[in-house]
Amino acid sequence: EIQLQESGPGLVKPSQSLSLTCSVTGYTITSGYDWSWIRKFPGNKMEWMGYISNSGSTNYNPSLKIRISITRDTSKNQFFLQLNSVTTEDTATYYCARLDWELGDYFDYWGQGVMVTVSS
Amino acid sequence: ETTVTQSPASLSMAVGEKVSISCKTSTDIDDDMNWYQQKSGEAPKLLISEGNTLRPGVPSRFSSSGYGTDFVFTINNVLLGDEGIYYCQQSDNVPYTFGAGTKLELK
């Protein structure tokens, strides 16, 4: 069974960087598909942030392009989110998800999410 | 970027009723629309994928229709366990974008 699990600090200070890890079990991230970060703001708005492909290429939401980096550690079957220069507007629940592109593009497996608050 | 306008923002329904949720897109996306259910405290769950395709294991009470810019998600005979927030999401172009969500409450 494919499972994704986010981890990272729940509190980040403004202007600092937010760093999260997504650990994947049941599937090797280099075998296929794309691996995404998605966030849900208070008030329920959802935003796709970007993905890293099975080959290691990345694609980011233009709204975040200058602040975001998604990387991976294939030896640990993990991928990571780094968001720089955070503000209170980045307070959200962050999800990692698999993007299945074989028969279309859709997010078919999700982690449980990690709530991150940006506050001094 | 394709904007997705979802309505209504909330619904209060009785068990057994029919639920309809609308999503309209600012660009033509063919049938590249996905629908998710998120129950309180849980991860979103994919119910219907592109081409109005019901995902394995999802009850046939759930369905969707639409093509181009207008899409409708339907729950027939809604049950108590269907409470949650429903999202549409376009997958025609990047950045992928979501509707604002519809909160479904059962009376």
Side-chain angles (χ1 to χ4, degrees), chain A residues 32-48:
Chain A
Y33 306 112
D34 297 332
W35 303 88
S36 275
W37 287 97
I38 296 163
R39 61 183 177 176
K40 179 179 173 179
F41 298 100
N44 297 326
K45 177 185 170 185
M46 298 270 277
E47 179 181 60
W48 171 76

Side-chain angles (χ1 to χ4, degrees), chain B residues 37-52:
Chain B
Q37 173 195 63
Q38 186 173 31
K39 297 182 179 180
S40 181
E42 298 184 6
K45 175 185 176 183
L46 178 66
L47 298 180
I48 295 175
S49 56
E50 294 181 352
N52 301 304

Side-chain angles (χ1 to χ4, degrees), chain A residues 12-18 83-88 90 118-119:
Chain A
V12 180
K13 293 186 188 309
S15 80
Q16 294 189 343
S17 293
L18 178 162
L83 187 65
N84 299 322
S85 305
V86 298
T87 71
T88 55
D90 294 309
V118 179
S119 175

Side-chain angles (χ1 to χ4, degrees), chain A residues 46-115:
Chain A
M46 298 270 277
E47 179 181 60
W48 171 76
M49 302 180 72
Y51 67 68
I52 187 164
S53 74
N54 63 90
S55 64
S57 62
T58 54
N59 197 344
Y60 300 134
N61 192 318
S63 69
L64 298 168
K65 208 157 192 175
I66 60 171
R67 297 199 293 138
I68 190 173
S69 176
I70 299 176
T71 57
R72 65 182 184 173
D73 183 335
T74 57
S75 68
K76 295 182 178 178
N77 212 39
Q78 295 175 327
F79 63 104
F80 311 102
L81 170 69
Q82 181 171 320
L83 187 65
N84 299 322
S85 305
V86 298
T87 71
T88 55
E89 308 273 297
D90 294 309
T91 293
T93 298
Y94 288 75
Y95 297 93
C96 56
R98 188 179 86 164
L99 175 65
D100 184 341
W101 41 253
E102 285 198 340
L103 295 175
D105 289 359
Y106 43 82
F107 302 104
D108 57 352
Y109 290 93
W110 297 65
Q112 283 296 112
V114 59
M115 188 179 299

Side-chain angles (χ1 to χ4, degrees), chain B residues 2 24 26 28-29 31 33 36-37 42 50 53 68 74 83 94 99:
Chain B
T2 297
K24 296 183 186 295
S26 61
D28 187 324
I29 64 164
D31 58 1
M33 182 65 83
Y36 302 85
Q37 173 195 63
E42 298 184 6
E50 294 181 352
T53 302
T74 301
E83 276 197 335
V94 171

